[in-house]
Amino acid sequence: MNTTLQSNSLWNDSALNAQDYYERCDAAGAVRPHWATVTEEIDRLGLPELRDRSAAIERFCRENGVTFHASETPDESNRPWKLSVVPFVIGAAEWETLSTALAGRTRLLETVLADLLGPQRLIREGIVPGELLWANPSFKRTYHNLETSQQHLHITATDLARDADGVWHVTGDRTRAPSGLGYLLENRIITSRVLPTLIRRSNTLRLASFFESLKDHLYSLATTHRDDPRVVLLTPPSGSYREFEDNYLARYLGLTLVQGSDLAVRTGELNLKTLGGLQPIQVLWRHVSDRRCDPLELDPASGEGVTGLLRCVRRRSVAVVNTIGSVLVQTPALLPYLDKAHQFFFGDELKLTAAPTYWCGDPNHRSYVMEHLDSLNFRNAFAVSGGSAIVLSELSPPDREAFLQRLSAKPSDYVAQERLQFSKTPVWTGKQIEPQKTTLRSFQLLTGDGVTVLPGALARVGYDQLELSRSPISGQMTQDCWVTSDVPVDEHKTLLPDSETVIRLRRGGDELPSRVAEHLYWLGRYAERAEAISRVMRTTLARIAGEEHWDTLAEVQRLVRTLASMGQIEPGFAVEPFVANLPHVEQNLPLSVLDRGQPRGLVRTLESVMHNTIAVRGRLSSEAYRIVHRATAELTQSTGATTPSGANSIGIGEAIERVDRLIVDLLALAGLTNESLVRTHAWQFLELGRRLERAEHLCELLTATLCPPTDNGKPVCEAVLEVTDSIVTYRSRYKNLVRLAPVIDLLVTDETNPRSLRFQLDHIATLFQKLPSTEGPVGLDAIKRIVLDLQYRITTADPIELSQTSEDGTLEQLQSVLEHVAADLPRLAEGINARYLIHTESRQFLTGTGR
């Protein structure tokens, strides 16, 4: 009774209608048995604690970078994932019945696909209209008899909704490369952290066994190298809606994440391009569409697949999951014919059926549809995504007439479905718990031993059931789906190999994909560039905010000139007459910290750090991603005030604080990558990018600050030492005696200073000794000659001579050395690109990325 009273104050069930099926309670209002423990615990927690737990979920999603791709607009391309603190709960007994039906449907889809790609008995017997296959734009004759193995489908998903009578129906099948599996796993991990006691008390079935079976199955598909096969996950290029999920799955399952540009076909075998050469691939788990897998035989404009892949499939040198052509059995137009297909193949009725569906290309179906237009929803007949269903009663008269004309002109393009009521489940809205419509996406694994159904699902909720018919990666609130048992569940299983598994010990890095090496290289460059910009910005702003008249300080003029040459402010600040522009610096410089319009500005540079971090997320620790994510969010967060142009307004004090925090985060990132990456090629390319960028920045900084003539060099030298984080070292050696020669020695020729130019060149030379020495488009000797020449130039330089001023007051010798090094460093970078990274699809520049 006490629980009921608390429940009434917390659970807002007033939105329920008499015809609604409510997941938590029955028609009489009694809590269903499998919901009892969850209801009791949530009542005990109360509103304040639910708010805190919900805030924790949002924080975990944000820190873990759980996002979904929502738009082609760069500013809105990724949005945070939404997860309710209240789970979706279903009893183990009901789930077992549903799982049996899901397994039967999965076997049917496998049988139908094998028939459509093979003997096509369904078409010959008149069970499935031949026009359904020939009119399908996804069908390619190349798919027919392409796969010679006994199994076509391996991983499938089923979209489910419960009608008002409590019966589950299928709203769609996913057989190509179903999305949502990674998000489902992340939902469980986050919910387990937020509600650890409740999930154990509820005897919630674990998910790890399914993923363990999935990994075992993928490895078992290899026909060669069965003792240690190479299994890769093929993902679309960066920016795809699959980006987060594929990174997550590859990392969790221990697979190599690849893109089409990472692969090559040689002598009928699929290979991974690595720094050590081509490495054969035995199993390819593809997450790109069928028609984009092979530009040679399918879509010639595709850059997502690899040329010659179908030839490898025919030779059975690589196993593809799911088979190319599997898109055919997820076609909505096929739904009306699956019941008869099941009767044809198995001799009984299909246990889990779809909502009544009619293909308008079938004359018998079309006549029924035209008589019941206002009671049906219309969908694309051959695509499972790409918009919500069409409801004629909600269209304006002109739009209704336009749709009917399209339907009449090409009826085969549409299917019509009876409307389901969609059951409702409790959802935390931020203030209270309300019932909302729900749909599930279940996942099935088909192996030689049968069908394994994942004990849970990706649950999505909302007020509009038409929106729920869209892809899970479309922004609706999600829930962790708990299958709860009356008895304690089996002990937790993990993906760690058992103790008897024989593992070949190895230490290497040659298997690093060249595309990953490129992203690591540019991650090092962009991270170092962001730190360099921040250090110059902080030193400059600190002097502008000081007690002295900053417009008379020689060091400020030179630092501003440096910032202008680095692309942080207008180039006019770097040219004469310089003094005339100085009064504008006090206003313009703080604003430049948040100016996204500057292609080489701090914000855009940090965005490039984030872009490359995401691209190699599987190679870095989770803390590295969190550091970059936090740094980006803190730098770019709104100040609340705007300039007349609408940009964020920011004062000098706030600008100094932001760049100061950014420097700390970037140092944390550098320390973390240095301590967590083993000294293989991954670390070497990251370090190579960092050292090259630091060397270029040093040349740029010292040329702009030390080389021009000055009457008082001490403030300039101190500012440069501060920017290069070398002032503590200098003072420990020379106290307060600031002279040019020791400053130049410390920053140019000192091999012990990690911030000196010589240290960078020595480190670059050492790194090149460890990189692959196999012959490439550019000979290694050519690169080594550049490195040795640079080393010789700095090693033989005398800091005393470099500090001597010429007749015009400039440091002519220092400037000559710096200009020589600055001219050769880009040549060195081009040599790296040409030798190791030339095959990659895109090239990157310090102004951003571009084709």
Side-chain angles (χ1 to χ4, degrees):
M1 181 63 69
N2 186 38
T3 301
T4 304
L5 291 175
Q6 290 180 352
S7 177
N8 290 337
S9 63
L10 181 62
W11 308 78
N12 179 21
D13 297 340
S14 60
L16 290 170
N17 298 317
Q19 66 272 24
D20 288 332
Y21 184 95
Y22 190 35
E23 297 289 344
R24 189 177 75 92
C25 300
D26 60 21
V31 176
R32 300 184 192 275
H34 56 275
W35 266 95
T37 302
V38 174
T39 299
E40 178 185 350
E41 178 66 13
I42 289 179
D43 282 339
R44 187 190 65 80
L45 291 175
L47 288 174
E49 187 64 26
L50 279 178
R51 292 192 187 98
D52 291 344
R53 303 288 177 100
S54 182
I57 287 177
E58 292 181 11
R59 185 174 67 254
F60 290 143
C61 288
R62 184 173 62 252
E63 291 178 351
N64 294 345
V66 189
T67 60
F68 66 94
H69 191 77
S71 171
E72 296 298 330
T73 305
D75 292 339
E76 301 181 355
S77 59
N78 289 296
R79 296 180 184 175
W81 186 250
K82 300 177 183 178
L83 173 61
S84 172
V85 68
V86 178
F88 180 94
V89 184
I90 186 170
E94 182 183 6
W95 183 258
E96 183 176 358
T97 302
L98 184 59
S99 295
T100 301
L102 284 167
R105 188 175 183 90
T106 303
R107 285 190 290 268
L108 171 64
L109 293 175
E110 163 67 18
T111 306
V112 170
L113 179 61
D115 180 71
L116 293 179
L117 297 180
Q120 298 182 341
R121 295 173 60 197
L122 291 174
I123 293 176
R124 291 205 305 268
E125 297 291 336
I127 297 172
V128 173
E131 294 81 0
L132 187 148
L133 191 62
W134 321 138
N136 189 344
S138 297
F139 175 69
K140 306 291 183 184
R141 293 186 182 274
T142 309
Y143 300 157
H144 194 258
N145 286 327
L146 172 66
E147 180 64 68
T148 57
S149 65
Q150 296 181 350
Q151 185 175 334
H152 297 76
L153 296 179
H154 304 268
I155 306 166
T156 68
T158 308
D159 290 335
L160 302 165
R162 196 199 295 267
D163 205 358
D165 57 3
V167 176
W168 289 100
H169 292 278
V170 173
T171 59
D173 297 296
R174 298 295 186 273
T175 57
R176 177 181 63 82
S179 62
L181 190 59
Y183 289 102
L184 179 153
L185 178 59
E186 179 70 352
N187 281 358
R188 174 58 55 87
I189 291 174
I190 291 177
T191 307
S192 298
R193 293 178 62 183
V194 175
L195 300 170
T197 303
L198 177 57
I199 199 169
R200 289 192 295 269
R201 283 188 55 205
S202 301
N203 295 324
T204 303
L205 300 188
R206 308 290 193 253
L207 305 180
S209 295
F210 178 87
F211 288 95
E212 184 179 31
S213 299
L214 169 59
K215 184 175 181 179
D216 289 344
H217 177 66
L218 291 175
Y219 278 83
S220 71
L221 296 175
T223 56
T224 61
H225 299 82
R226 295 183 62 88
D227 56 332
D228 188 20
R230 180 173 285 101
V231 182
V232 302
L233 195 163
L234 176 61
T235 186
S238 299
S240 161
Y241 75 97
R242 305 222 49 147
E243 189 165 48
F244 168 82
E245 182 174 24
D246 287 354
N247 271 281
Y248 191 87
L249 284 173
R251 184 169 188 151
Y252 185 80
L253 295 173
L255 309 179
T256 301
L257 186 67
V258 301
Q259 295 180 10
S261 60
D262 297 328
L263 307 178
V265 173
R266 298 290 186 274
T267 63
E269 288 191 348
L270 183 65
N271 295 275
L272 175 65
K273 300 174 184 175
T274 72
L275 296 178
L278 298 178
Q279 302 290 338
I281 294 172
Q282 285 74 48
V283 181
L284 179 74
W285 183 11
R286 67 177 180 95
H287 281 174
V288 301
S289 63
D290 300 68
R291 63 184 177 83
R292 294 177 178 170
C293 283
D294 187 346
L296 179 64
E297 299 191 48
L298 299 171
D299 183 0
S302 171
E304 297 182 9
V306 54
T307 301
L309 177 60
L310 295 190
R311 181 186 177 194
C312 299
V313 173
R314 294 188 187 96
R315 288 170 54 95
R316 300 193 65 183
S317 62
V318 64
V320 178
V321 178
N322 288 330
T323 188
I324 299 173
S326 58
V327 65
L328 296 178
V329 285
Q330 71 178 24
T331 302
L334 187 63
L335 291 173
Y337 307 99
L338 290 180
D339 291 350
K340 290 184 179 180
H342 193 275
Q343 184 71 36
F344 176 76
F345 286 120
F346 301 105
D348 59 359
E349 294 184 354
L350 183 62
K351 292 183 174 61
L352 183 61
T353 61
T357 306
Y358 311 93
W359 179 47
C360 298
D362 187 319
N364 296 327
H365 290 188
R366 186 164 63 249
S367 61
Y368 176 87
V369 169
M370 298 308 294
E371 295 175 1
H372 301 82
L373 288 173
D374 292 322
S375 62
L376 301 171
N377 297 335
F378 290 86
R379 299 170 54 189
N380 189 304
F382 303 111
V384 295
S385 59
S388 301
I390 298 172
V391 182
L392 292 184
S393 60
E394 297 180 358
L395 298 180
S396 64
D399 289 342
R400 177 188 176 97
E401 182 60 29
F403 173 77
L404 290 177
Q405 290 179 2
R406 294 196 301 271
L407 178 63
S408 176
K410 206 165 185 181
S412 61
D413 284 353
Y414 298 96
V415 295
Q417 280 187 322
E418 302 283 356
R419 297 172 190 168
L420 298 178
Q421 185 67 28
F422 278 42
S423 64
K424 291 184 177 180
T425 193
V427 180
W428 171 252
T429 63
K431 296 182 179 180
Q432 59 185 356
I433 300 176
E434 296 181 355
Q436 293 185 17
K437 296 180 183 295
T438 184
T439 182
L440 302 181
R441 172 167 289 189
S442 66
F443 293 87
Q444 297 79 234
L445 172 65
L446 181 61
T447 69
D449 298 328
V451 179
T452 301
V453 180
L454 184 144
L458 181 64
R460 292 185 299 137
V461 293
Y463 297 104
D464 186 351
Q465 67 186 51
L466 294 181
E467 285 297 312
L468 292 177
S469 66
R470 300 177 62 189
S471 166
I473 319 301
S474 55
Q476 287 82 20
M477 177 72 74
T478 66
Q479 292 179 309
D480 187 18
C481 177
W482 294 4
V483 179
T484 60
S485 175
D486 296 331
V487 297
V489 298
D490 294 336
E491 63 181 59
H492 183 67
K493 295 184 179 180
T494 72
L495 291 179
L496 295 175
D498 60 72
S499 57
E500 297 180 358
T501 302
V502 178
I503 298 178
R504 180 169 56 89
L505 300 180
R506 55 187 174 187
R507 297 184 184 96
D510 285 354
E511 295 186 1
L512 179 72
S514 303
R515 178 187 56 83
V516 176
E518 182 187 33
H519 282 293
L520 287 166
Y521 168 77
W522 283 101
L523 173 58
R525 296 208 66 166
Y526 280 118
E528 182 62 31
R529 183 171 182 83
E531 183 184 339
I533 294 170
S534 300
R535 289 186 177 278
V536 179
M537 189 75 71
R538 180 177 65 177
T539 302
T540 308
L541 290 172
R543 280 157 173 74
I544 291 177
E547 296 179 351
E548 299 185 50
H549 294 288
W550 54 267
D551 54 344
T552 62
L553 301 177
E555 67 269 28
V556 174
Q557 299 175 14
R558 299 186 185 201
L559 290 171
V560 171
R561 185 187 296 258
T562 303
L563 288 169
S565 67
M566 296 173 73
Q568 307 312 299
I569 53 177
E570 291 296 329
F573 290 106
V575 297
E576 299 296 343
F578 187 80
V579 178
N581 289 326
L582 275 178
H584 302 288
V585 173
E586 191 172 8
Q587 292 78 35
N588 291 341
L589 196 54
L591 295 177
S592 69
V593 173
L594 304 182
D595 186 4
R596 195 178 180 278
Q598 289 284 2
R600 297 173 62 202
L602 187 56
V603 172
R604 294 283 286 275
T605 301
L606 203 56
E607 287 176 351
S608 294
V609 174
M610 173 63 79
H611 165 75
N612 286 282
T613 300
I614 292 174
V616 295
R617 189 170 182 177
R619 302 277 172 168
L620 303 176
S621 66
S622 58
E623 290 80 6
Y625 175 84
R626 292 178 184 176
I627 289 172
V628 176
H629 183 272
R630 182 186 65 197
T632 306
E634 289 185 353
L635 177 70
T636 58
Q637 66 181 337
S638 175
T639 61
T642 58
T643 65
S645 63
N648 271 329
S649 177
I650 185 173
I652 292 181
E654 175 68 15
I656 293 175
E657 289 183 13
R658 293 201 183 195
V659 295
D660 195 52
R661 290 196 301 266
L662 178 58
I663 291 172
V664 173
D665 284 335
L666 291 171
L667 288 174
L669 176 65
L672 184 63
T673 53
N674 193 58
E675 291 299 319
S676 61
L677 284 177
V678 294
R679 292 333 191 228
T680 58
H681 294 328
W683 176 82
Q684 289 157 12
F685 271 89
L686 178 68
E687 192 70 3
L688 188 60
R690 185 182 296 279
R691 298 302 170 182
L692 272 169
E693 184 61 29
R694 185 173 293 181
E696 286 194 4
H697 168 66
L698 273 169
C699 293
E700 190 174 39
L701 173 68
L702 299 181
T703 300
T705 54
L706 295 185
C707 292
T710 181
D711 295 331
N712 185 3
K714 180 179 178 180
V716 176
C717 288
E718 288 180 335
V720 173
L721 289 170
E722 186 178 329
V723 169
T724 56
D725 195 25
S726 299
I727 194 165
V728 173
T729 302
Y730 186 90
R731 286 174 177 169
S732 69
R733 292 181 182 179
Y734 306 105
K735 306 299 186 231
N736 248 354
L737 299 175
V738 180
R739 300 290 186 271
L740 270 174
V743 170
I744 292 173
D745 176 53
L746 182 61
L747 299 181
V748 178
T749 58
D750 187 348
E751 72 276 12
T752 66
N753 181 14
R755 296 282 176 176
S756 76
L757 187 56
R758 180 173 174 180
F759 188 94
Q760 313 314 313
L761 298 177
D762 288 348
H763 203 48
I764 289 170
T766 302
L767 289 169
F768 270 113
Q769 296 297 326
K770 299 177 180 179
L771 290 180
S773 57
T774 54
E775 192 57 37
V778 173
L780 189 60
D781 290 342
I783 300 177
K784 285 184 176 179
R785 281 196 297 270
I786 299 175
V787 176
L788 291 174
D789 181 65
L790 289 171
Q791 276 188 296
Y792 176 79
R793 175 74 62 158
I794 298 300
T795 303
T796 58
D798 184 349
I800 302 296
E801 294 180 0
L802 296 180
S803 65
Q804 300 300 315
T805 58
S806 60
E807 293 182 358
D808 60 359
T810 63
L811 299 183
E812 186 175 349
Q813 294 186 62
L814 176 62
Q815 184 167 345
S816 175
V817 170
L818 294 175
E819 287 178 350
H820 177 89
V821 174
D824 275 356
L825 285 173
R827 291 177 52 216
L828 182 57
E830 285 300 319
I832 295 170
N833 289 333
R835 180 171 180 79
Y836 297 108
L837 312 174
I838 194 170
H839 73 274
T840 52
E841 184 182 3
S842 62
R843 293 290 301 280
Q844 299 196 45
F845 306 90
L846 285 175
T847 54
T849 57
R851 292 287 183 186

